[in-house]
Amino acid sequence: MAVSLSRRTGAVAFFYWLWDGFDRSIFTAIKFSFPARFVSPFGFLGMLTFITFIILGITGALLMFYYQPILDRAWDSVQFINDEVPFGFHMRNIHYHGSNAMVLLAVLHMYYQFFSGRYKIRNELLWVTGVILGVVTVLEAFTGYDVIFSERAELAISIAASLTTSIPVVGPLIRESALGSGFSDFVLRFYAQHVFLLPIVMLGLMAVHFPRFLVFDVPMVMAISGAILITGGVFPIDMGFKFQPTVPPGVTVPEWYLTAIYAFMRTQYDKFVTGLLWPLIFIASLLLIPFIDRYKKFSWKDRPMVTAFGITGLAQIMVTTYWGFYISPDVTIPLVERLVIDPLFFYSVMILLVPMSFGFTYMMIHMAKESERKAKLHKEKGPQKVATIHLTEKWINWLLVALLAFQVLLNIAAYNAALIGMKNISLFFIGIILLVFAGFFHIYRYGLAQAKNPPPPPPQAPALESEEKPMLPKQQPVPETSKLTEGSGKPEDKKELPSEIPTPKVKADVGFDVNRDTNIGLDDLSKP
Amino acid sequence: MSAPQTSHAYGIGVITVIVGMSVVLIFYSGFYLPESLAKPTVSEHILNPEEPFVIEIVPGAVTEGNENYVPNKATVLLGISNLVTWENNDETPHTVTPDHRTADSYSGDFGSVGVVMPGETFEFLFTEEQEIPYHCDPHPWMKGTIKIEKSRF
C-alpha cells in the first residue's frame, strides 16, 4: 500500500504548480505580504481601496444582469432588482455602500500620505496618478448614482451636463460627444462610462499607481467588507422617486462627496467658475504638492507650511460639505430662496478658514512638540509595561471553537432572515459574519505566532526547593539569570534563552503550510 | 521584567462575550423582531368598513388661497368610514404627507409614496384612534387634518 508522506498531493500540488507557473508572469513582480500580526491599516489604505474596487466590480457586474440603461426603464429595472431579484437588494446595497467606502478610503489614503509625507519616499509619479485616480473614482461614483434616473439623478445629470457645456470654447463639443444631448443619451452614455470607460481608465492608472510591495491583511479586508455590509443593513439605500417630467422635483442634494461643489454652485456665481474652476484649482494644488514641498523631513510636525495647507483644504472641504447638505427646513420660503447661499457670507467664511487653519496647525505642532519633549523627560519614570492580552494555547483553541460556533449561528440567523424576507437584517448579519471572521483570523494568526515560540524555560535552580542537588547552587551561582552585567562572565553566558522569538513584521506567508519545503513556492519571490 | 502573565480570565472573558452576543442574537432575531413586526389583530369590522370615505383634492387646489383637501378637517369612525381615499382631481400632482412621521400599527407609515398623479388616488386604512395633520409636499400651503375616532355605537 502506497502511502504518500508528502503533504503536497492532489489539489495542493496543483495550486503549487499553478503558482510556479506564475513565475513567468507579471504577478511575481508584485510582492504580496500577508502580515502575521496586527499592522496599522493606515499603511495599506490604498490596498483596502482596491479591495472595495474589486467588490464594486463583482456586485456591479451582477447588477448589470438586470439593469436596463433605457430612459423610461432604468428606474423600474432598479426597482425590480431591489424588490424582486433574489439577493438583488443585497447586491445593490453592497454596491452603493461600497462606492461610498471606496471614495472615503481613497480620501483617507490620500490625506494619510499627505500628512505623513510619504510621497517623498515613493516618487512623485505615484502621488500624481493617485490624485487623478481619486478624481476618476469620484466621477465613477457620480455616474453610478445617476444611472438609476430617479429625481435626484435627473438633477445631478442636468448639473453635470450644464457644467460640461459651461466650459469655455470646447464645452458644448465635449458635452455633445461625451454625454450626448437629451436624457435618453445621458442615461445610456453615463452607463457606458460607468461600467466600461471609467473603470478601464482606473485600471490603467492603477497599473502605474500600484507600488511593488503590497500588504494584504486578511482581517482588515474582512472588517472593511463587513463594515460595508453592516452599513447596508442598517441604512439600506432607498429608491428615490422615479423621475417624471410632470412632477415638481422635491428637495434633493447630491452624494456627500459632491455637496462641497454643490455648496459653491448654490452661491449662484458663474457656473463654470464655481462648479469646475474651483475644484480644478484644488485638485491642481494637490497634484503640485510634492513639487512644492521642499522640506527635508517627513513628519507633519516638521513641515508646518505644507501641513497648514492641508489642514486649510480639509477644513474648507468639511465646512462646504456640510453647507452643501444644509437647506433651510422652512417650507414656506420658495424653493429657490432656500437653495441659494449668500456668496458674501460663504466666501468670507472660506477666507476666514485660512488663518484659522494656519493658527490651528501652529497650535497642534506646538502641542505635539511639547508633549514629545515631556515624554522624553519622563521616559525613565513612565510606565514601562504595555497592557497586552496573553492567551494560552488551550484558550486560543477554545476561542477559535467558540468563534466558529458563533459564525455558524450567525449563518443560520442570516439565512433565516433572508428566508422570511428581512433583507436588510440578513445583510447586517452577513456583515457581522465577516467581522467575526476577521477576529477569528486574527486570533488564528496570533496562535500560529505563539506556537512558533519555544516553550518557556524550566524554572531555575533557586526556584527549586528540593534537597537532591545541594551542590548545584554553589557551583553555578549566577550564570543563567537573565540580568547580565556588561563585560562580565564568559561569552557563552551572554546568550540567554530568548523567551520569545521576534516575529517579523510582515511575512510572505501566513503559515497555512508551516512545514513546507521552503525552496519552492512563495519564498521564490525573495530570491534574486 | 516579569514574564508575560497568562490567566484564565482573558479566555473566560472573551468566551463570555461571545456567548452573550449569541444570546442577544437569538433573542433579537428569534423573539424580539418577529414580535415587534407582527401585525396586531384588528377586528373584521375595522378591516372591512361599511362605507368608503373620500377626500377630494379639488381642481385648482394648487393655487394658494383656494380650497384644497375637501373635506379639510375630516373625522372618520373606526368600523364605519376608516378606509380613506384621497382623490386628486386637480391638474397637478400632489402628495398627502403627514406633518410629522405617523404610523398605523396595522397599515404602517401614513403618507403617499411619491406623488398622487392627476386622476389617481391614495388609499389608507386606519385602525387606530389618532389625529394627523398633513400637507402637500410641493405645495406647503395645502393643509388638512384627519381625525380617526372610535365608533360610538
Side-chain angles (χ1 to χ4, degrees):
Chain A
M1 212 168 96
V3 175
S4 171
L5 291 177
S6 167
R7 291 187 62 189
R8 216 178 294 146
T9 52
V12 181
F14 171 71
F15 283 124
Y16 270 100
W17 174 82
L18 207 60
W19 178 255
D20 293 341
F22 280 132
D23 251 3
R24 304 272 299 168
S25 73
I26 195 170
F27 292 106
T28 44
I30 300 168
K31 295 201 173 174
F32 265 105
S33 52
F34 299 88
R37 53 194 279 265
F38 178 80
V39 280
S40 166
F42 285 112
F44 55 92
L45 280 172
M47 188 66 201
L48 293 177
T49 314
F50 179 67
I51 296 294
T52 51
F53 177 77
I54 296 295
I55 294 174
L56 288 169
I58 295 167
T59 52
L62 291 173
L63 290 175
M64 278 169 76
F65 286 178
Y66 290 95
Y67 174 75
Q68 296 175 313
I70 300 161
L71 181 64
D72 54 348
R73 292 197 203 159
W75 191 86
D76 297 281
S77 68
V78 177
Q79 193 187 35
F80 181 69
I81 292 170
N82 203 54
D83 298 345
E84 309 288 335
V85 175
F87 299 103
F89 173 90
H90 297 68
M91 287 305 129
R92 177 164 179 257
N93 271 282
I94 296 169
H95 197 70
Y96 171 78
H97 287 93
S99 77
N100 284 342
M102 184 171 173
V103 175
L104 190 66
L105 286 170
V107 170
L108 286 178
H109 173 54
M110 187 194 77
Y111 272 109
Y112 180 69
Q113 305 291 319
F114 183 94
F115 287 119
S116 63
R118 286 200 169 194
Y119 50 73
K120 289 161 174 283
I121 313 172
R122 322 270 191 233
N123 63 41
E124 287 82 359
L125 187 77
L126 295 194
W127 172 262
V128 170
T129 47
V131 172
I132 299 171
L133 200 48
V135 175
V136 180
T137 304
V138 171
L139 284 179
E140 171 75 358
F142 173 70
T143 51
Y145 87 78
D146 286 348
V147 292
I148 303 164
F149 210 57
S150 59
E151 263 179 18
R152 185 173 77 145
E154 187 270 332
L155 285 173
I157 292 178
S158 304
I159 290 175
S162 67
L163 268 182
T164 318
T165 315
S166 74
I167 301 172
V169 189
V170 289
L173 185 69
I174 294 177
R175 203 260 293 142
E176 282 281 330
S177 49
L179 305 178
S181 42
F183 283 115
S184 181
D185 279 0
F186 292 165
V187 173
L188 186 56
R189 295 193 190 183
F190 266 66
Y191 175 70
Q193 293 180 3
H194 180 69
V195 301
F196 187 77
L197 282 178
L198 293 173
I200 282 286
V201 170
M202 286 169 85
L203 282 171
L205 285 168
M206 277 174 201
V208 185
H209 182 70
F210 260 20
R212 282 187 62 222
F213 299 93
L214 290 171
V215 180
F216 192 91
D217 186 40
V218 177
M220 199 48 78
V221 166
M222 284 296 145
I224 291 288
S225 317
I228 291 171
L229 266 65
I230 287 171
T231 337
V234 180
F235 308 104
I237 177 68
D238 59 1
M239 286 295 306
F241 295 123
K242 184 181 182 175
F243 172 68
Q244 287 162 308
T246 52
V247 177
V251 174
T252 57
V253 285
E255 282 293 338
W256 58 273
Y257 36 82
L258 290 169
T259 47
I261 297 176
Y262 191 51
F264 275 102
M265 291 170 70
R266 279 170 54 191
T267 58
Q268 284 209 318
Y269 191 61
D270 179 63
K271 198 185 284 173
F272 172 70
V273 173
T274 53
L276 278 177
L277 198 59
W278 291 161
L280 281 177
I281 286 177
F282 183 76
I283 294 161
S285 66
L286 277 178
L287 278 176
L288 292 175
I289 271 293
F291 307 101
I292 295 167
D293 181 359
R294 284 285 159 247
Y295 288 106
K296 291 279 180 284
K297 287 182 176 175
F298 291 149
S299 168
W300 60 275
K301 283 170 272 185
D302 302 317
R303 301 180 297 146
M305 290 309 279
V306 173
T307 305
F309 183 79
I311 292 286
T312 310
L314 255 185
Q316 288 180 338
I317 286 177
M318 281 150 111
V319 170
T320 49
T321 296
Y322 178 75
W323 214 327
F325 270 116
Y326 179 77
I327 292 170
S328 165
D330 186 357
V331 287
T332 55
I333 311 170
L335 185 61
V336 175
E337 269 178 49
R338 286 163 70 197
L339 284 175
V340 170
I341 296 172
D342 180 12
L344 201 64
F345 182 31
F346 186 77
Y347 283 101
S348 322
V349 171
M350 287 300 105
I351 292 166
L352 192 67
L353 280 175
V354 178
M356 279 174 73
S357 303
F358 272 70
F360 176 77
T361 312
Y362 178 78
M363 185 185 81
M364 287 311 288
I365 291 177
H366 185 75
M367 280 166 67
K369 295 218 157 156
E370 185 67 12
S371 68
E372 249 176 25
R373 192 179 63 81
K374 275 184 186 158
K376 249 178 214 168
L377 277 178
H378 293 280
K379 206 174 182 182
E380 301 305 314
K381 294 181 207 162
Q384 300 287 317
K385 267 191 267 182
V386 180
T388 48
I389 295 179
H390 288 281
L391 287 166
T392 55
E393 202 178 319
K394 186 185 82 175
W395 278 111
I396 289 173
N397 287 341
W398 279 114
L399 213 54
L400 291 178
V401 170
L403 283 174
L404 265 183
F406 188 46
Q407 285 184 75
V408 170
L409 180 68
L410 280 167
N411 271 287
I412 295 169
Y415 186 60
N416 177 50
L419 274 189
I420 57 177
M422 295 192 294
K423 294 172 180 169
N424 59 331
I425 304 272
S426 73
L427 194 61
F428 176 79
F429 281 151
I430 301 167
I432 300 277
I433 292 170
L434 292 181
L435 272 193
V436 172
F437 181 79
F440 177 83
F441 198 97
H442 178 71
I443 292 172
Y444 173 70
R445 70 179 174 186
Y446 172 79
L448 275 184
Q450 291 292 306
K452 278 182 196 145
N453 289 339
Q460 297 305 305
L464 288 171
E465 297 276 44
S466 66
E467 307 272 313
E468 288 147 36
K469 296 176 190 169
M471 300 305 283
L472 264 176
K474 285 173 190 170
Q475 284 173 341
Q476 297 173 323
V478 195
E480 276 182 274
T481 53
S482 57
K483 282 170 197 161
L484 287 168
T485 49
E486 294 294 323
S488 72
K490 290 168 231 165
E492 61 261 31
D493 283 345
K494 278 186 182 174
K495 286 177 186 166
E496 63 176 294
L497 188 67
S499 63
E500 200 176 331
I501 289 174
T503 43
K505 226 176 189 178
V506 286
K507 293 198 311 116
D509 194 350
V510 82
F512 291 111
D513 189 6
V514 183
N515 304 320
R516 73 178 191 289
D517 183 1
T518 47
N519 292 321
I520 313 173
L522 272 170
D523 288 356
D524 277 354
L525 297 179
S526 53
K527 283 183 186 169
Chain B
M1 292 300 294
S2 58
Q5 295 289 310
T6 63
S7 152
H8 292 311
Y10 294 124
I12 294 170
V14 179
I15 286 183
T16 310
V17 169
I18 294 172
V19 171
M21 285 197 298
S22 310
V23 171
V24 168
L25 179 76
I26 291 170
F27 173 74
Y28 181 71
S29 63
F31 297 92
Y32 178 81
L33 261 186
E35 216 155 290
S36 64
L37 291 177
K39 281 194 174 185
T41 44
V42 179
S43 82
E44 279 298 309
H45 297 291
I46 292 176
L47 289 180
N48 304 300
E50 286 170 25
E51 53 197 58
F53 189 90
V54 177
I55 297 175
E56 193 192 355
I57 301 174
V58 294
V62 65
T63 314
E64 198 168 352
N66 283 1
E67 281 199 310
N68 36 57
Y69 300 105
V70 178
N72 197 263
K73 289 183 176 53
T75 307
V76 298
L77 296 176
L78 289 176
I80 295 172
S81 55
N82 56 321
L83 179 64
V84 184
T85 308
W86 278 264
E87 217 175 81
N88 187 0
N89 293 328
D90 195 14
E91 279 158 11
T92 356
H94 293 290
T95 71
V96 177
T97 311
D99 291 1
H100 311 285
R101 193 180 166 180
T102 316
D104 186 281
S105 61
Y106 182 83
S107 307
D109 276 343
F110 170 68
S112 59
V113 178
V115 290
V116 184
M117 297 294 284
E120 287 182 3
T121 57
F122 162 62
E123 213 177 67
F124 196 84
L125 181 75
F126 294 97
T127 63
E128 290 170 335
E129 284 179 272
Q130 51 184 335
E131 188 173 347
I132 307 170
Y134 61 90
H135 63 272
C136 170
D137 231 13
H139 318 108
W141 52 87
M142 289 171 61
K143 283 177 183 176
T145 313
I146 186 156
K147 195 173 177 186
I148 302 100
E149 286 182 355
K150 237 179 209 160
S151 171
R152 272 150 285 187
F153 306 106

